[in-house]
Amino acid sequence: MADASGLKWDRCLADTAVKTVTGLGVGMAFSFLVFKRHTWPASLGAGLGFGMAYSNCQHDRRLPHLLHGHMVKDQQ
Amino acid sequence: MLRLSVRAADAAARRRLCQRGPRIILQHSRPYTEGNTGGSAAKIVAAGLVSFGGGIGGTVLYAKWDSKFRTTVEKNVPYSDLLFGLALGPATSLDSTPTKKQLELAQPPSLMLEEAKSSKNKAKKVPSVTAATTPASNIEEASAEASHIISAMGEVPSVPAPQDTEAPKEQCEECHQHSPPETALSSEEPSEPGDVLTAPEEPLKERPAEEVTARIAQQDQADQDTLTFVSDKLEDSLASSATATLQAIAAQEAALQAILQHTQKLKEAMETEVSAEQRSSHWKDLEDAVCARSRNVEEAGAALVQARASLDSLRAVVESAKDSRVAALRPMVLAAEENLHSMTVDLDRAVDKVQSVESEAKIVSQYSELVNEAKQQFQRELSSITPEIQANWKGLSGTLSVDDLNALIAHAHRRIDQLNREMAEQRVREQVHIEAALEQQKLEDQKALEKAVSLAVEHNLERARLEQERKQVELREVMEAEMRTQLRRQAAAHTDHLRDVLKVQEQELQAEAEEVLSSKMMEQETRYRQLTQEQLDNFTLDMNAAYARLKGMEEAIDSHVIAEEEARKAHQLWLSVEALGYTLRSSSLDSLTRPLEPAAQAIRESCQDEFAVALAAALPEESLQRGVYSEESLRARFNALRSLARRVALVDESHNSLYQYFLSYLQAALLFEERQEAPPAKISSQDLDPFKILSYASYSLEQGDLELAAKLVNQLRGEARRVVQDWLVEARLTLETKQVVSLLSAYANAVGLGTTQAP
């Protein structure tokens, strides 16, 4: 389970990074396009992404018995 | 008769003297010899020796003659029986008596009679002189003598037959074996030898039949012998007695004639008054007649005595024949008795005649004696008158003087006168005398009559007795015949009865015997069966024991084989278990775990045991397929897990936010607990926090106690539990497998130990 915990942590961090980066990028796009280069849309998007990742991670932690489906690669 | 008896008495006395003669001489000789000695001592000693030897010799000789004397001497004088035994041989009391008897028989019968008579006369002399005159007393005496003789004969056993010598010999041998008084007793018994033989042995036991028949035959033979012997003897004695009687009768007749002649002559001599020559011739004749008469009378007396003796002997023989109880002798004895009776009667008659004639002759002789007496008296008177002319006065007739003649004449006158007076007186007296004589004659006649009557009565009695005896014999024969038939009938009835009784007894005895036999058979059979059963049982037992032993041996061998097999199997099992253990402990190069399947397969193959199979089957499938982690790898993994578990120690099931994770990480980073700690003996759940548990478990693991570590780790809760869950599963698997392997190993050890035989 130790590995699973590590994997969870890995997945959490990866998810957090992706979500945060993705929120930051969307926020920045919106800033440039809509809000004339304001900074807040970028920070808001990064926050949104980070928050989403955090809740996912917590949810993952809270449901230890919830098996996460994942693609099983062909063992061939 | 008086003279006869006197003469007989004289003769008897003379004979007695003769008999006693030698003894008397012997008695006289002893004092003579003794009296002759007295000079010197040697003579005395010699005479004493001679007399002693003579006494002993005389005693021995007399003992040889008289066995009774011998027995008395033997009884009274000690060691005399030895002397007698040396001198005469063994005592033959029974042999000697028959010889004596035979000697007596061989003697003339008159001698015996005279002996008896003399003994009788010795006993009573006066009656023999006085009472022997009468024939009746003679007969009584004769019968008494006969009875004496018979009793004397009865003292000895009956005359032994010549063939019977064996029986007395036997008897004698028996008598020698017995004591002397007994022999005297047995010799006194007038019984037959057979009785003496059989009587003492009869109560002892019953004789066998052959012996009895032999004895009976012997007895018959003895009876026959005695019969012939006695009949011969009877005939002999009858003939001798008949001749003796005839002789006696003839002698009596002769004596009668002589007496008659003598009487005649005497009368003639007395009565005739003839010349001297004639007278002398007469007297010569008379003397001749007297001589002849006396001779004849003596002869007659001797013949009479002989005849009486022979008759007595005949009577004795008859009595003895009567005593010998042989039935066949009876008629013979009866005939002999009749003959004897007739002979006695004839003899008595002749004797009577002679006695009557003798009495007449006595009268005549008395008369002549009286005449002689008168003559002698006359002569005495004459001699008193004329003393000078005494003897031979007949021849002196011429020398007488006148005075003498005158005196003679005067005397003759006086004598005539006196004689006349005497005659007158005599005539008167004659009357009285005649009366007295008549009286005397009457008395004599009466006596003679009484005698004759008594004789006749006796003869009649004898005849009647004979008749009675004959009738008795006839009756006895008839009765005996009847008795015999009755006895035969009784014997037949007795035999029948005996047969019946015997049959019944036989049946009873047979039944009894059969019963006994059957019971015995049953008993024997039962015993035999029991024995057989016992033997069979024993045999079966032995067989069973042997079979059991064999079985046990076989089983032992089998079990040995099995045990060896088991041992081999156990060994194999142990080897495979060892292999499994080794597989469990070791790990392959490429992976941490090694599948236990081949080793388990080997175990399963090596043991068909249920237990082992079950144990082998109890091995977890995962361990078989994948293999289990070794303790070392588990320990290493636990050490890796420990930090993780510390980091999430604060996260439980309800507090599982990320913040809690962060806090827990912080706590783990800040806390520095002991790395290893020995768990206490008693642990309560309140004392436990994840750090302590982990340190305890780490200590246990370091000590090699995986089980305790697993138990402690199992107490973890929350996230930490989730972290160590995998490890726990692996540890459990490892523990499980190890347990199975250890069980298998214990089992294999146990089996190996169980199958290992003691050397």
Side-chain angles (χ1 to χ4, degrees):
Chain A
M1 201 43 80
D3 296 335
S5 171
L7 284 173
K8 264 183 187 174
W9 276 120
D10 283 350
R11 207 166 49 234
C12 269
L13 281 178
D15 195 40
T16 304
V18 166
K19 279 191 165 70
T20 308
V21 168
T22 307
L24 189 66
V26 166
M28 280 177 77
F30 264 91
S31 135
F32 276 109
L33 291 165
V34 171
F35 297 114
K36 308 156 177 183
R37 289 195 187 179
H38 288 285
T39 52
W40 56 276
S43 30
L44 181 71
L48 278 171
F50 184 76
M52 271 168 37
Y54 182 83
S55 88
N56 269 350
C57 203
Q58 197 157 302
H59 186 70
D60 194 23
R61 284 285 161 181
R62 277 189 182 163
L63 298 170
H65 304 295
L66 187 70
L67 287 173
H68 294 280
H70 58 274
M71 285 298 286
V72 177
K73 286 184 185 169
D74 199 2
Q75 293 291 322
Q76 299 291 321
Chain B
M1 189 160 207
L2 192 97
R3 257 185 288 166
L4 194 81
S5 63
V6 165
R7 208 178 292 141
D10 278 348
R14 222 177 293 135
R15 229 169 274 128
R16 207 162 59 227
L17 263 175
C18 286
Q19 274 183 348
R20 279 194 172 178
R23 231 180 296 166
I24 290 160
I25 286 163
L26 199 73
Q27 281 172 354
H28 277 297
S29 71
R30 269 186 230 158
Y32 176 71
T33 49
E34 278 173 5
N36 219 3
T37 59
S40 65
K43 274 183 183 178
I44 290 169
V45 169
L49 278 175
V50 165
S51 61
F52 183 66
I56 286 175
T59 313
V60 167
L61 282 175
Y62 192 66
K64 190 180 183 182
W65 175 251
D66 194 355
S67 62
K68 280 181 183 174
F69 175 71
R70 181 182 172 168
T71 51
T72 49
V73 167
E74 277 178 357
K75 256 185 233 168
N76 291 325
V77 183
Y79 302 114
S80 62
D81 49 353
L82 287 173
L83 177 65
F84 286 148
L86 277 173
L88 304 172
T92 53
S93 61
L94 281 168
D95 276 352
S96 66
T97 40
T99 53
K100 190 180 173 185
K101 167 75 185 158
Q102 278 166 355
L103 266 167
E104 280 177 5
L105 280 172
Q107 280 176 349
S110 62
L111 210 130
M112 274 169 65
L113 187 73
E114 277 160 13
E115 264 185 19
K117 218 176 201 171
S118 67
S119 67
K120 184 82 182 172
N121 287 350
K122 257 187 280 175
K124 34 180 185 175
K125 264 180 187 175
V126 182
S128 76
V129 175
T130 56
T133 53
T134 60
S137 64
N138 253 347
I139 286 162
E140 278 174 11
E141 212 172 62
S143 65
E145 285 158 10
S147 68
H148 271 221
I149 289 165
I150 287 159
S151 65
M153 280 166 72
E155 276 183 6
V156 299
S158 61
V159 185
Q163 287 87 350
D164 258 7
T165 42
E166 306 97 27
K169 271 178 193 167
E170 284 177 15
Q171 201 178 355
C172 279
E173 281 166 11
E174 275 195 3
C175 295
H176 288 312
Q177 283 162 8
H178 293 314
S179 56
E182 270 186 1
T183 61
L185 273 172
S186 65
S187 70
E188 275 173 13
E189 282 173 2
S191 59
E192 288 182 29
D195 287 349
V196 179
L197 270 176
T198 51
E201 287 182 25
E202 219 165 18
L204 288 179
K205 59 169 185 178
E206 213 168 299
R207 285 162 182 283
E210 307 91 53
E211 202 178 339
V212 170
T213 50
R215 207 157 278 280
I216 287 168
Q218 196 181 342
Q219 208 169 338
D220 284 350
Q221 182 68 29
D223 284 353
Q224 196 65 35
D225 291 339
T226 49
L227 177 62
T228 53
F229 180 73
V230 169
S231 62
D232 285 352
K233 215 169 65 176
L234 263 177
E235 279 172 9
D236 286 350
S237 47
L238 258 180
S240 65
S241 60
T243 52
T245 315
L246 280 177
Q247 275 176 8
I249 287 169
Q252 295 284 346
E253 287 293 332
L256 193 71
Q257 290 303 321
I259 289 165
L260 280 176
Q261 205 178 346
H262 171 248
T263 317
Q264 195 67 33
K265 289 267 173 68
L266 192 62
K267 269 183 187 169
E268 276 175 15
M270 292 280 291
E271 282 166 6
T272 49
E273 293 287 336
V274 285
S275 63
E277 294 86 39
Q278 272 182 332
R279 234 183 124 132
S280 63
S281 71
H282 264 295
W283 282 111
K284 216 172 269 173
D285 283 353
L286 189 61
E287 274 176 17
D288 289 347
V290 164
C291 278
R293 182 199 143 155
S294 62
R295 198 178 59 242
N296 277 334
V297 165
E298 261 184 29
E299 277 177 5
L304 176 65
V305 165
Q306 199 172 345
R308 283 213 192 281
S310 65
L311 282 177
D312 281 337
S313 71
L314 175 61
R315 191 169 292 143
V317 166
V318 165
E319 289 294 327
S320 69
K322 256 191 215 171
D323 278 346
S324 68
R325 290 158 273 174
V326 183
L329 272 177
R330 282 257 159 221
M332 214 177 287
V333 169
L334 267 180
E337 268 195 326
E338 276 179 18
N339 277 336
L340 173 69
H341 174 64
S342 58
M343 273 188 268
T344 318
V345 168
D346 287 347
L347 198 61
D348 284 347
R349 212 170 280 155
V351 168
D352 274 353
K353 257 186 214 168
V354 171
Q355 273 170 356
S356 62
V357 172
E358 260 190 347
S359 65
E360 270 179 30
K362 205 163 59 182
I363 290 165
V364 174
S365 65
Q366 270 176 358
Y367 170 62
S368 73
E369 273 170 17
L370 278 176
V371 168
N372 281 338
E373 203 177 331
K375 270 180 189 171
Q376 275 170 9
Q377 199 176 352
F378 180 64
Q379 214 168 335
R380 269 202 306 277
E381 280 170 10
L382 273 184
S383 66
S384 66
I385 292 164
T386 57
E388 63 270 19
I389 323 159
Q390 263 196 350
N392 265 342
W393 60 282
K394 277 177 194 167
L396 293 175
S397 55
T399 61
L400 285 172
S401 63
V402 179
D403 290 341
D404 289 343
L405 284 173
N406 283 340
L408 272 174
I409 287 162
H411 179 69
H413 276 287
R414 269 205 307 277
R415 181 73 181 166
I416 285 161
D417 213 23
Q418 188 195 350
L419 277 176
N420 281 335
R421 272 203 310 276
E422 268 187 11
M423 210 145 91
E425 196 184 333
Q426 198 71 28
R427 268 189 201 138
V428 178
R429 269 183 200 166
E430 192 73 12
Q431 214 68 26
V432 179
H433 277 176
I434 280 166
E435 277 174 15
L438 274 176
E439 200 73 23
Q440 198 181 348
Q441 190 66 36
K442 214 181 275 174
L443 275 173
E444 270 189 14
D445 282 354
Q446 206 165 348
K447 245 184 228 172
L449 183 69
E450 275 175 9
K451 204 163 63 189
V453 163
S454 66
L455 253 180
V457 162
E458 201 171 326
H459 290 161
N460 279 328
L461 273 175
E462 188 73 18
R463 201 177 299 134
R465 192 178 64 79
L466 285 174
E467 196 73 24
Q468 193 184 352
E469 274 193 7
R470 196 184 298 134
K471 276 186 182 170
Q472 204 176 336
V473 165
E474 281 170 8
L475 261 174
R476 184 171 292 161
E477 275 172 5
V478 169
M479 293 295 279
E480 269 184 4
E482 199 175 338
M483 194 174 72
R484 209 160 285 161
T485 53
Q486 289 289 344
L487 270 176
R488 211 167 290 142
R489 210 170 291 158
Q490 244 177 20
H494 185 63
T495 314
D496 284 352
H497 177 65
L498 265 182
R499 200 177 295 137
D500 290 351
V501 168
L502 278 176
K503 207 173 279 175
V504 168
Q505 244 176 13
E506 186 191 350
Q507 280 172 1
E508 276 178 10
L509 284 175
Q510 203 166 353
E512 204 170 315
E514 272 176 8
E515 198 173 321
V516 168
L517 182 69
S518 62
S519 67
K520 281 272 168 68
M521 283 285 283
M522 287 268 284
E523 200 175 315
Q524 289 292 329
E525 207 172 323
T526 323
R527 232 170 69 188
Y528 173 72
R529 210 169 280 166
Q530 256 177 3
L531 277 173
T532 319
Q533 195 63 39
E534 264 178 32
Q535 272 183 353
L536 204 64
D537 285 355
N538 285 341
F539 181 69
T540 316
L541 219 66
D542 289 352
M543 277 301 289
N544 281 348
Y547 183 68
R549 204 168 297 144
L550 181 67
K551 204 86 176 168
M553 279 159 73
E554 274 181 1
E555 271 176 12
I557 290 166
D558 285 354
S559 69
H560 200 74
V561 168
I562 288 165
E564 275 197 350
E565 186 73 19
E566 287 290 318
R568 198 178 52 79
K569 276 179 186 170
H571 201 67
Q572 215 170 348
L573 180 67
W574 184 77
L575 278 176
S576 48
V577 167
E578 280 299 305
L580 182 64
Y582 180 74
T583 316
L584 191 66
R585 277 190 300 274
S586 67
S587 57
S588 65
L589 289 171
D590 46 352
S591 70
L592 280 170
T593 60
R594 246 165 94 175
L596 296 176
E597 183 60 41
Q601 189 61 40
I603 287 169
R604 259 184 242 116
E605 279 169 6
S606 64
C607 67
Q608 281 76 29
D609 205 344
E610 238 180 90
F611 182 67
V613 168
L615 279 179
L619 282 171
E621 189 63 25
E622 201 176 351
S623 67
L624 290 179
Q625 297 301 327
R626 188 205 61 190
V628 292
Y629 292 97
S630 65
E631 218 168 304
E632 286 77 23
S633 57
L634 279 177
R635 197 186 305 147
R637 186 118 176 260
F638 178 77
N639 286 333
L641 274 175
R642 187 178 175 182
S643 55
L644 257 176
R646 283 183 76 231
R647 272 180 230 153
V648 293
L650 205 64
V651 180
D652 54 3
E653 287 89 349
S654 53
H655 305 91
N656 48 5
S657 66
L658 284 178
Y659 179 64
Q660 281 291 331
Y661 278 99
F662 175 68
L663 279 179
S664 174
Y665 185 79
L666 199 62
Q667 183 191 19
L670 289 176
L671 273 176
F672 290 98
E673 85 277 3
E674 244 181 301
R675 182 139 184 90
Q676 287 179 353
E677 200 177 346
K682 207 171 173 185
I683 300 171
S684 64
S685 56
Q686 285 84 18
D687 298 335
L688 287 177
D689 59 55
F691 298 100
K692 268 198 173 166
I693 287 171
L694 283 174
S695 62
Y696 286 159
S698 173
Y699 180 79
S700 299
L701 268 181
E702 285 305 313
Q703 294 298 320
D705 196 353
L706 183 61
E707 193 181 349
L708 184 61
K711 280 177 187 169
L712 286 168
V713 168
N714 201 26
Q715 303 301 317
L716 289 172
R717 295 281 176 270
E719 194 58 31
R721 171 70 179 258
R722 283 188 58 229
V723 168
V724 296
Q725 185 68 38
D726 279 355
W727 182 85
L728 203 55
V729 169
E730 285 304 322
R732 271 188 196 141
L733 189 66
T734 304
L735 278 173
E736 223 173 303
T737 312
K738 269 185 108 173
Q739 199 177 9
V740 169
V741 167
S742 71
L743 268 175
L744 269 174
S745 161
Y747 174 67
N749 277 333
V751 169
L753 276 177
T755 51
T756 305
Q757 310 260 315

